Amino acid sequence: MEAKSQSIMADSYAMNGGDGPYSYAQNSMYQRGIMETAKRMINEEIAMKLDIQKLSLAASEPIRIADLGCSCGPNTILAIQNILEALKRKFQTHPTPEFQVFFNDQVSNDFNSLFASLPELGRQYYAACVPGSFHGRLFPTASLHFVYSSCALNWLSKVPKEVVDKTDPAWNQGRIHYTGAPKEVFEAYSDQFAKDIGSFLQARVKELAPSGLMALVIPAVPDMISHPHITTGSEFELVGSCLMDMAKMGIVSEARIDTFNLPIYYTYPKELRQIIEGNGCFSIERMDMLNIPKQHIAMPDLRQRTVYIRAALEALIEKHFGKKIIDQLFEMYSRKLSESPIFLKPENQKTTAIFVLLKPI
Amino acid sequence: MEAKSQSIMADSYAMNGGDGPYSYAQNSMYQRGIMETAKRMINEEIAMKLDIQKLSLAASEPIRIADLGCSCGPNTILAIQNILEALKRKFQTHPTPEFQVFFNDQVSNDFNSLFASLPELGRQYYAACVPGSFHGRLFPTASLHFVYSSCALNWLSKVPKEVVDKTDPAWNQGRIHYTGAPKEVFEAYSDQFAKDIGSFLQARVKELAPSGLMALVIPAVPDMISHPHITTGSEFELVGSCLMDMAKMGIVSEARIDTFNLPIYYTYPKELRQIIEGNGCFSIERMDMLNIPKQHIAMPDLRQRTVYIRAALEALIEKHFGKKIIDQLFEMYSRKLSESPIFLKPENQKTTAIFVLLKPI
């Protein structure tokens, strides 16, 4: 067995670490809103679907939970706490087992910040972290009982190679994302997403115990038709247009922009269902759009909107264009955002997320 | 079950992170020498003592290995590789199981450097890390099969409180360690060591599977009589005398030195045996002094000797005295070392380490 040979050599992206003004920890309220909305569904599904008799636990075996793509902020701690409470309710009439929680993210994730935010007192689980890409194997066979992943599977394992190939019809010239791009660009992204979900499911079905469950929360759009109009994708387009402005000002080269693309994709329910069903490893026990209450999308403010995008994209942009352009880029972005107030109206926020509960077949 | 409530709230010490000139990764050749010497004993003991029939592994259960106090350098990777090879030789006539390795150290350990040094290709285990003090519980019950800890148990969970208490006979005035101190100081350290090993063994006996094994390599002195003459302890005394010189120069206050003590203790075979036997959780399957070949103590050079001590102590000293004094302190230390060439002769190097193999009773 070579754990690594089964894994995918994915590119490593990580959110901004630490707890500074541009950190993911301080700027993940949107992801927090999604998580809070998914909480009720997770509670219901654990109550209904988790078969603790069949969980085939030896008396001494702990229940193992994994959060894949946990990042470093407080969201993962809260999500795990919720899952744990739901599981403990299930064991009310049984001896409560021990719990072990595995926090997974890319090698470059700020794990020390994550560890520092682990509750010191009253923590009811043994904590461990697992570095690496969830597009490949991370855990021994059948060793997990509940897998959770929120706001992580919208990150592709890599930028589709076609979009940086000048000779390909999918070459994404002058843009950094598929929003507003020809359909070939969108299709290249969509194909990469299907491959990534496929490898994710193949790895997880081996890692999950036969009676385990997997709850995924995946940022998405309501349907394909609305794709060109969604806010978040258009915000990426806005970042791209700021870069193009910087090219006109001679600060970056256009060629450099042409080789930069965001490895982010927003799926839609029909597509996700087709990929999962086509994969054949898991049955879909539930699939719902998350009707995220507006109060959870706590981004009415220009500064907050800017740092939210910055927390997520800064590391990627810095790696490609260098550190020097970052401040100016996000100043320009902020100005453009204020000049297009459409972005700041909550009713134009069309992004949502899909909740899906899966069971190994 | 409250994992945390069973744990000890130990102080957090960590080696210098990163891979810079003062990093632990670059300055742990001495620990590497100890590890290499222990390698043969671990190989022999796994070959002889590990009962894979009794390891009561379900077909799908992985073999779980932990390195407690792994730090961030390359030593842990090599040590684990050696253990893994020895285990795989045992399974030659059986189906090879999967392996999962848990790297443990304090929350403030540089885990990102550790992850970055994990082999990308050909790694034959799933890696996880577990942040926290090994003086308390870290893992679910009976979940580990082989526990290893090298050059870590000489770190106490805390400085014994008596040595910073002005009213106590063990008050350690004008020194930062027990070397050269009155016997009350030494006894306070020795008592703390016994308590720490006790809590370590209590935690581990619950975490180890009944047929598991634990190999400990503990920096030590050959016997109590030689205590005042050992090199490493005297080197701490030398650091303390530099601090006292700085106090005379008005750079630090004497009172500040009186409240600073190194949480490091060197046991000796008779004492360690008594603690383990008195604890009653483990049987001693083997106890040997490591006759570390001189070529492994690769510290003949003044600069190397200085950075070796600096890599281990800098974080602790900085926390108490601030960053500003560090460079000057180690310059003074280096000068004193060169003026006392006794320290630079390998034949005066009296520190050694105890190898002990334990089995749960």
Side-chain angles (χ1 to χ4, degrees), chain B residues 27-327:
Chain B
N27 295 291
S28 45
M29 281 306 290
Y30 176 69
Q31 293 87 338
R32 167 82 161 270
I34 288 181
M35 187 198 80
E36 290 285 340
T37 315
K39 179 174 166 174
R40 180 182 52 81
M41 294 181 190
I42 289 176
N43 287 348
E44 285 169 11
E45 294 304 311
I46 287 178
M48 282 192 304
K49 303 272 168 60
L50 195 74
D51 188 335
I52 62 171
Q53 304 292 355
K54 276 201 192 153
L55 217 49
S56 69
L57 293 167
S60 67
E61 207 188 346
I63 301 271
R64 296 196 190 84
I65 303 160
D67 182 357
L68 305 181
C70 64
S71 191
C72 46
N75 289 347
T76 182
I77 310 286
L78 289 166
I80 289 299
Q81 193 55 36
N82 174 52
I83 292 167
L84 215 77
E85 280 161 17
L87 289 170
K88 284 178 74 182
R89 280 194 290 275
K90 283 292 276 197
F91 283 95
Q92 256 169 2
T93 56
H94 296 72
T96 307
E98 292 177 313
F99 295 97
Q100 188 172 27
V101 175
F102 293 90
F103 297 93
N104 155 259
D105 212 307
Q106 301 281 7
V107 170
S108 54
N109 185 50
D110 184 354
F111 284 106
N112 283 81
S113 284
L114 175 62
F115 296 154
S117 67
L118 278 174
E120 275 290 326
L121 288 168
R123 174 153 58 85
Q124 305 194 321
Y125 52 87
Y126 296 103
C129 81
V130 170
S133 164
F134 55 50
H135 294 290
R137 281 293 296 275
L138 294 166
F139 299 93
T141 303
S143 64
L144 298 177
H145 305 99
F146 194 88
V147 170
Y148 169 78
S149 179
S150 181
C151 299
L153 279 162
N154 50 324
W155 288 86
L156 301 175
S157 71
K158 59 183 175 199
V159 170
K161 63 180 188 312
E162 299 87 340
V163 304
V164 289
D165 178 354
K166 268 190 177 176
T167 66
D168 200 286
W171 183 37
N172 198 21
Q173 191 187 9
R175 276 174 306 272
I176 63 166
H177 196 234
Y178 60 77
T179 327
K183 78 172 192 328
E184 287 84 356
V185 177
F186 172 74
E187 283 165 2
Y189 269 86
S190 166
D191 286 352
Q192 186 61 48
F193 179 76
K195 275 184 216 152
D196 285 346
I197 295 291
S199 62
F200 178 88
L201 295 176
Q202 294 285 353
R204 298 299 89 71
V205 79
K206 293 192 187 105
E207 294 166 358
L208 260 172
S211 299
L213 289 176
M214 177 153 74
L216 306 178
V217 179
I218 309 179
V221 288
D223 55 69
M224 234 287 266
I225 306 307
S226 71
H227 244 227
H229 312 295
I230 55 156
T231 317
T232 301
S234 301
E235 288 189 27
F236 298 154
E237 203 182 351
L238 211 60
V239 175
S241 82
C242 294
L243 282 166
M244 284 304 278
D245 290 349
M246 289 175 107
K248 281 176 204 126
M249 294 158 73
I251 300 167
V252 294
S253 77
E254 274 195 46
R256 198 97 196 107
I257 299 170
D258 291 343
T259 54
F260 180 73
N261 289 273
L262 295 173
I264 298 172
Y265 180 76
Y266 291 93
T267 186
Y268 50 99
K270 193 179 159 197
E271 178 186 49
L272 185 63
R273 180 175 288 277
Q274 275 174 351
I275 296 170
I276 296 169
E277 287 177 350
N279 190 276
C281 296
F282 287 92
S283 68
I284 299 175
E285 300 289 307
R286 177 170 182 168
M287 186 187 268
D288 267 336
M289 295 305 279
L290 292 186
N291 293 313
I292 306 161
K294 287 283 181 282
Q295 66 267 29
H296 284 132
I297 308 170
M299 294 192 296
D301 168 274
L302 190 66
R303 189 198 150 274
Q304 277 182 43
R305 275 300 263 274
T306 306
V307 292
Y308 160 75
I309 287 286
R310 181 168 175 163
L313 304 188
E314 179 170 334
L316 267 178
I317 293 173
E318 188 180 313
K319 201 172 161 188
H320 191 83
F321 294 99
K323 204 179 177 64
K324 271 197 278 182
I325 71 154
I326 301 290
D327 283 336

Side-chain angles (χ1 to χ4, degrees), chain A residues 34 38 42 148-153 215-219 290 353-356:
Chain A
I34 289 181
I42 290 176
Y148 169 78
S149 179
S150 181
C151 299
L153 279 163
L216 306 178
V217 179
I218 308 179
L290 292 186
I354 303 173
F355 174 88
V356 58

Side-chain angles (χ1 to χ4, degrees), chain A residues 53-181:
Chain A
Q53 304 293 353
K54 276 201 190 154
L55 218 48
S56 70
L57 293 166
S60 66
E61 208 189 345
I63 301 271
R64 296 195 192 84
I65 303 160
D67 182 357
L68 306 181
C70 64
S71 191
C72 46
N75 289 347
T76 182
I77 310 286
L78 290 166
I80 289 299
Q81 192 55 36
N82 174 51
I83 292 167
L84 215 77
E85 281 161 17
L87 288 170
K88 285 176 75 183
R89 280 193 291 274
K90 282 292 277 195
F91 283 95
Q92 256 169 2
T93 56
H94 298 73
T96 306
E98 292 177 314
F99 295 97
Q100 188 171 29
V101 175
F102 293 90
F103 296 94
N104 155 257
D105 212 308
Q106 300 282 7
V107 170
S108 54
N109 185 50
D110 184 355
F111 284 105
N112 283 80
S113 285
L114 175 62
F115 296 153
S117 66
L118 278 173
E120 275 290 326
L121 288 169
R123 175 153 58 84
Q124 305 195 320
Y125 53 87
Y126 297 104
C129 81
V130 170
S133 164
F134 55 52
H135 294 290
R137 282 293 296 274
L138 294 167
F139 300 92
T141 304
S143 64
L144 299 176
H145 305 99
F146 194 88
V147 170
Y148 169 78
S149 179
S150 181
C151 299
L153 279 163
N154 51 325
W155 288 86
L156 300 175
S157 70
K158 60 182 174 199
V159 170
K161 63 179 186 314
E162 298 88 340
V163 304
V164 289
D165 178 354
K166 268 190 178 178
T167 66
D168 200 286
W171 183 37
N172 199 22
Q173 191 187 10
R175 276 173 306 272
I176 63 165
H177 196 234
Y178 60 77
T179 328

